[in-house]
Amino acid sequence: MTINRKILTLDEFTIQQMRQFPSATGELSSLLRDIGLAAKRVNVEVNKAGLVDILGDAGTVNIQGEDVKKLDIYANNQFMGVLQHGISCAGIGSEELDDFVVFDDEISNNSKYVVQFDPLDGSGNIDVNISIGTIFSVYRRISEVGQPCVKEDFLQPGSRQVAAGYIIYGSSTMYVYATKRGVNGFTLDPAIGEFCLSHPDIKCPPSGKVYSVNHGNFFQYTINTREYINVCQKKDKTNGGPYTQRYIGSMVADVHRNLMKGGIFLYPGTLDKPNGKLRLLYECNPFAFIVEIAGGRATDGKRRILEIEPTELHQRTPFFVGSKDMMDELDTYLQKD
Ligand code: AHM
Ligand code: MG
């Protein structure tokens, strides 16, 4: 009897990848699978958000001064829980938590990775049924294994990520992750509760027709950013256009679409917030890593995002990410700032 091997689950895929490295310990594969498990639990709650009391504000404000939704807290606890009880992670940083968490137990102290995540990005969209997501970033710790991890393990530049990924809770739920070897996407099959390889070896098209930016802030942007946005609006058939503006306000969904179809996403600094809104460590670095591995680019307008030396967990940065040729064109405007 021939067995249909067309469907490869996340677990099978990570094991298959690991076998190509005889010296691999399996810790990274295990960590990626732990994240998949938490994602499935979060997915169940996100799917029924309209039905149950879990919907709505938790009545607290997070470290950034923003309202915390109940699902944010639930998601945070799920991701932190699987990582704490797994065998691969020594500590975490989260958008929802004031400070890094050092797990400091025997197994965790002997783990070689630390993880940073935004458990539920775009959560302002929960109660209007728009796609939201989880974003994560994995680093090999620089402190000695066998000891509790330390702050410096978390404040590494994005170029040192060993893996990064996101889960999009959308019309279907997808788990996309990148290692230096490539970007792969898995779609959750709700019938069997497994992430199945659906988008192998994702490449970001070098160009696209979509630009994504919050136009409401237009007059808060620098003159050169405004000039670039004007150029996007004036594009026609003679110069790669016309462009379409698409901005959901949920970065995971906006960047996912642009990664798959080609496009550029901008969250520039504004007059009163020159560093913009998005956080370097658990929002921008993971997407910069994923998109670069897929062939695109990511900058803060001047520098490659992945080369920024972080100084604090919740630091913000202007963020520009997308198709290579579109990013190159953006550079010609932003370099004038
Ligand atoms: P959050 O982490 O509080 O959910 O905010 C991040 C989100 C991004 O997903 C999105 O791109 C951005 O905020 C939208 O912000 P704005 O409404 O200012 O355009
Ligand atoms: Mg966020």
Side-chain angles (χ1 to χ4, degrees):
M1 190 176 85
T2 49
I3 298 172
N4 182 349
R5 293 306 303 166
K6 272 191 205 150
I7 294 172
L8 203 57
T9 67
L10 174 69
D11 290 5
E12 289 170 323
F13 180 83
T14 53
I15 290 166
Q16 206 178 72
Q17 295 283 300
M18 194 183 79
R19 283 196 181 144
Q20 295 173 26
F21 293 94
S23 58
T25 60
E27 270 190 70
L28 183 62
S29 310
S30 162
L31 187 150
L32 293 167
R33 294 204 309 269
D34 288 345
I35 288 175
L37 174 63
K40 284 191 253 183
R41 291 184 181 143
V42 171
N43 180 61
V44 170
E45 297 306 321
V46 168
N47 277 182
K48 62 185 185 193
L51 292 173
V52 290
D53 183 42
I54 207 160
L55 175 70
D57 292 348
T60 52
V61 170
N62 73 9
I63 187 69
Q64 331 274 348
E66 300 151 333
D67 286 340
V68 174
K69 304 284 180 185
K70 282 182 181 176
L71 269 173
D72 288 17
I73 299 170
Y74 178 82
N76 182 68
N77 293 343
Q78 290 304 322
F79 286 102
M80 190 164 83
V82 290
L83 293 168
Q84 184 156 20
H85 298 114
I87 56 157
S88 321
C89 183
I92 56 114
S94 163
E95 177 175 344
E96 293 306 329
L97 300 172
D98 194 342
D99 210 347
F100 308 102
V101 177
V102 177
F103 293 149
D104 196 10
D105 57 69
E106 199 186 333
I107 293 176
S108 303
N109 289 346
N110 281 298
S111 303
K112 59 179 176 206
Y113 297 110
V114 295
V115 178
Q116 307 197 57
F117 55 83
D118 181 350
L120 217 48
D121 184 65
S123 54
N125 288 318
I126 291 171
D127 40 10
V128 284
N129 210 355
I130 286 174
S131 299
I132 50 181
T134 299
I135 315 168
F136 67 91
S137 173
V138 183
Y139 291 83
R140 187 167 288 118
R141 56 190 289 195
I142 50 180
S143 59
E144 199 184 330
V145 172
Q147 303 293 319
C149 61
V150 297
K151 191 176 177 189
E152 288 68 33
D153 294 323
F154 296 94
L155 296 180
Q156 301 186 57
S159 56
R160 299 227 189 100
Q161 289 170 101
V162 291
Y166 61 88
I167 295 102
I168 178 167
Y169 310 97
S171 43
S172 56
T173 295
M174 251 184 101
Y175 180 167
V176 176
Y177 78 82
T179 63
K180 293 229 161 73
R181 309 179 64 211
V183 186
N184 290 283
F186 303 81
T187 302
L188 183 64
D189 179 345
I192 56 169
E194 292 279 4
F195 284 106
C196 299
L197 182 63
S198 52
H199 297 67
D201 199 20
I202 294 170
K203 299 286 182 217
C204 182
S207 197
K209 304 275 185 202
V210 169
Y211 73 104
S212 310
V213 66
N214 186 338
H215 264 285
N217 292 337
F218 184 82
F219 291 104
Q220 298 288 314
Y221 299 145
T222 64
I223 188 141
N224 295 324
T225 305
R226 280 187 267 160
E227 201 183 334
Y228 173 73
I229 293 171
N230 284 335
V231 164
C232 290
Q233 293 175 319
K234 287 179 191 154
K235 292 258 183 203
D236 58 29
K237 280 184 193 153
T238 63
N239 54 9
Y243 277 6
T244 296
Q245 205 274 353
R246 290 278 180 270
Y247 188 76
I248 298 173
S250 190
M251 179 169 59
V252 178
D254 279 317
V255 179
H256 174 72
R257 181 201 49 242
N258 294 357
L259 171 66
M260 305 303 290
K261 295 194 166 176
I264 189 166
F265 172 93
L266 304 85
Y267 204 109
T270 53
L271 290 177
D272 56 338
K273 292 181 183 150
N275 290 328
K277 174 182 184 186
L278 301 175
R279 290 67 157 199
L280 175 65
L281 291 187
Y282 42 77
E283 293 179 328
C284 303
N285 268 340
F287 272 119
F289 183 83
I290 296 161
V291 171
E292 281 201 9
I293 299 283
R297 292 184 52 216
T299 73
D300 69 351
K302 298 271 180 223
R303 295 169 292 178
R304 204 174 148 228
I305 285 288
L306 297 181
E307 284 171 10
I308 299 173
E309 292 280 347
T311 53
E312 49 184 281
L313 170 60
H314 297 292
Q315 86 186 64
R316 298 174 196 261
T317 177
F319 190 44
F320 305 90
V321 62
S323 293
K324 186 182 172 306
D325 295 350
M326 298 171 90
M327 288 293 296
D328 290 348
E329 184 181 23
L330 172 74
D331 272 356
T332 63
Y333 294 89
L334 297 193
Q335 297 298 338
K336 295 190 252 168
D337 273 337

